Short mmCIF file of all heavy atoms in Angstrom, two decimals:
data_model
loop_
_atom_site.label_atom_id
_atom_site.label_comp_id
_atom_site.label_asym_id
_atom_site.label_seq_id
_atom_site.Cartn_x
_atom_site.Cartn_y
_atom_site.Cartn_z
N GLY A 309 53.87 41.22 283.51
CA GLY A 309 55.03 41.80 284.19
C GLY A 309 56.27 41.42 283.39
O GLY A 309 56.29 40.39 282.73
N PRO A 310 57.33 42.23 283.47
CA PRO A 310 58.51 41.95 282.66
C PRO A 310 59.22 40.65 283.08
O PRO A 310 59.17 40.28 284.24
CB PRO A 310 59.42 43.16 282.90
CG PRO A 310 58.91 43.80 284.12
CD PRO A 310 57.48 43.47 284.25
N HIS A 311 59.81 40.02 282.09
CA HIS A 311 60.66 38.85 282.39
C HIS A 311 61.94 39.38 282.98
O HIS A 311 62.54 40.32 282.45
CB HIS A 311 60.94 38.06 281.13
CG HIS A 311 61.88 36.91 281.34
ND1 HIS A 311 61.44 35.70 281.85
CD2 HIS A 311 63.22 36.81 281.22
CE1 HIS A 311 62.49 34.91 281.99
NE2 HIS A 311 63.58 35.56 281.62
N LEU A 312 62.39 38.82 284.09
CA LEU A 312 63.60 39.29 284.73
C LEU A 312 64.76 38.35 284.44
O LEU A 312 64.55 37.13 284.35
CB LEU A 312 63.39 39.41 286.24
CG LEU A 312 62.25 40.35 286.69
CD1 LEU A 312 62.07 40.25 288.19
CD2 LEU A 312 62.54 41.78 286.28
N PRO A 313 65.95 38.88 284.29
CA PRO A 313 67.11 38.01 284.06
C PRO A 313 67.34 37.07 285.24
O PRO A 313 66.92 37.34 286.37
CB PRO A 313 68.27 38.99 283.90
CG PRO A 313 67.76 40.31 284.25
CD PRO A 313 66.30 40.30 284.31
N GLN A 314 68.03 36.00 284.94
CA GLN A 314 68.22 34.93 285.93
C GLN A 314 68.79 35.41 287.26
O GLN A 314 68.30 35.05 288.33
CB GLN A 314 69.14 33.87 285.32
CG GLN A 314 69.19 32.61 286.13
CD GLN A 314 69.89 31.49 285.38
OE1 GLN A 314 70.65 31.72 284.45
NE2 GLN A 314 69.61 30.26 285.76
N THR A 315 69.82 36.27 287.20
CA THR A 315 70.46 36.72 288.43
C THR A 315 69.49 37.53 289.30
O THR A 315 69.44 37.37 290.52
CB THR A 315 71.70 37.58 288.18
OG1 THR A 315 71.36 38.55 287.19
CG2 THR A 315 72.87 36.75 287.70
N THR A 316 68.68 38.35 288.62
CA THR A 316 67.72 39.17 289.37
C THR A 316 66.63 38.30 289.97
O THR A 316 66.30 38.44 291.15
CB THR A 316 67.06 40.21 288.43
OG1 THR A 316 68.08 40.83 287.66
CG2 THR A 316 66.29 41.26 289.21
N ALA A 317 66.09 37.39 289.15
CA ALA A 317 65.01 36.51 289.62
C ALA A 317 65.49 35.69 290.82
O ALA A 317 64.75 35.50 291.79
CB ALA A 317 64.56 35.59 288.50
N THR A 318 66.72 35.21 290.76
CA THR A 318 67.27 34.40 291.85
C THR A 318 67.50 35.25 293.10
O THR A 318 67.17 34.81 294.22
CB THR A 318 68.57 33.71 291.41
OG1 THR A 318 68.29 32.93 290.25
CG2 THR A 318 69.13 32.81 292.49
N ALA A 319 68.02 36.44 292.91
CA ALA A 319 68.25 37.33 294.06
C ALA A 319 66.93 37.68 294.73
O ALA A 319 66.87 37.75 295.97
CB ALA A 319 68.97 38.58 293.61
N ILE A 320 65.87 37.86 293.95
CA ILE A 320 64.55 38.14 294.52
C ILE A 320 64.05 36.91 295.28
O ILE A 320 63.63 37.02 296.42
CB ILE A 320 63.54 38.52 293.40
CG1 ILE A 320 63.85 39.91 292.88
CG2 ILE A 320 62.11 38.48 293.93
CD1 ILE A 320 63.06 40.31 291.64
N ALA A 321 64.15 35.75 294.63
CA ALA A 321 63.64 34.51 295.23
C ALA A 321 64.32 34.22 296.57
O ALA A 321 63.71 33.74 297.50
CB ALA A 321 63.85 33.35 294.28
N ARG A 322 65.59 34.55 296.65
CA ARG A 322 66.34 34.29 297.89
C ARG A 322 66.13 35.38 298.94
O ARG A 322 66.66 35.32 300.04
CB ARG A 322 67.83 34.21 297.58
CG ARG A 322 68.18 32.98 296.79
CD ARG A 322 69.68 32.95 296.54
NE ARG A 322 70.05 31.72 295.86
CZ ARG A 322 71.32 31.37 295.64
NH1 ARG A 322 72.29 32.14 296.05
NH2 ARG A 322 71.58 30.24 295.03
N GLY A 323 65.40 36.41 298.58
CA GLY A 323 65.16 37.49 299.53
C GLY A 323 66.39 38.35 299.72
O GLY A 323 66.57 38.95 300.77
N GLU A 324 67.19 38.44 298.68
CA GLU A 324 68.38 39.27 298.79
C GLU A 324 68.13 40.69 298.31
O GLU A 324 68.79 41.62 298.73
CB GLU A 324 69.52 38.63 297.97
CG GLU A 324 70.00 37.34 298.59
CD GLU A 324 70.93 36.53 297.67
OE1 GLU A 324 71.12 36.91 296.50
OE2 GLU A 324 71.45 35.51 298.14
N VAL A 325 67.21 40.81 297.36
CA VAL A 325 66.86 42.15 296.88
C VAL A 325 65.34 42.38 296.96
O VAL A 325 64.56 41.43 296.89
CB VAL A 325 67.32 42.40 295.42
CG1 VAL A 325 68.83 42.26 295.30
CG2 VAL A 325 66.63 41.48 294.45
N ASP A 326 64.98 43.62 297.12
CA ASP A 326 63.58 44.02 297.18
C ASP A 326 62.92 43.72 295.82
O ASP A 326 63.43 44.21 294.80
CB ASP A 326 63.53 45.54 297.51
CG ASP A 326 62.11 46.04 297.66
OD1 ASP A 326 61.25 45.69 296.84
OD2 ASP A 326 61.87 46.82 298.61
N PRO A 327 61.84 42.95 295.79
CA PRO A 327 61.25 42.58 294.49
C PRO A 327 60.57 43.74 293.79
O PRO A 327 60.25 43.63 292.58
CB PRO A 327 60.22 41.52 294.88
CG PRO A 327 59.88 41.78 296.30
CD PRO A 327 61.13 42.35 296.91
N THR A 328 60.36 44.86 294.46
CA THR A 328 59.72 46.01 293.80
C THR A 328 60.73 47.04 293.32
O THR A 328 60.54 47.69 292.29
CB THR A 328 58.70 46.68 294.74
OG1 THR A 328 59.35 47.03 295.95
CG2 THR A 328 57.54 45.75 295.05
N THR A 329 61.81 47.20 294.07
CA THR A 329 62.81 48.22 293.69
C THR A 329 64.10 47.63 293.18
O THR A 329 64.94 48.34 292.60
CB THR A 329 63.16 49.10 294.91
OG1 THR A 329 63.77 48.24 295.90
CG2 THR A 329 61.92 49.75 295.51
#
Side-chain angles (χ1 to χ4, degrees):
Chain A
H311 176 82
L312 301 174
Q314 191 169 21
T315 47
T316 314
T318 303
I320 288 171
R322 291 181 176 187
E324 291 168 354
V325 300
D326 183 316
T328 54
T329 63

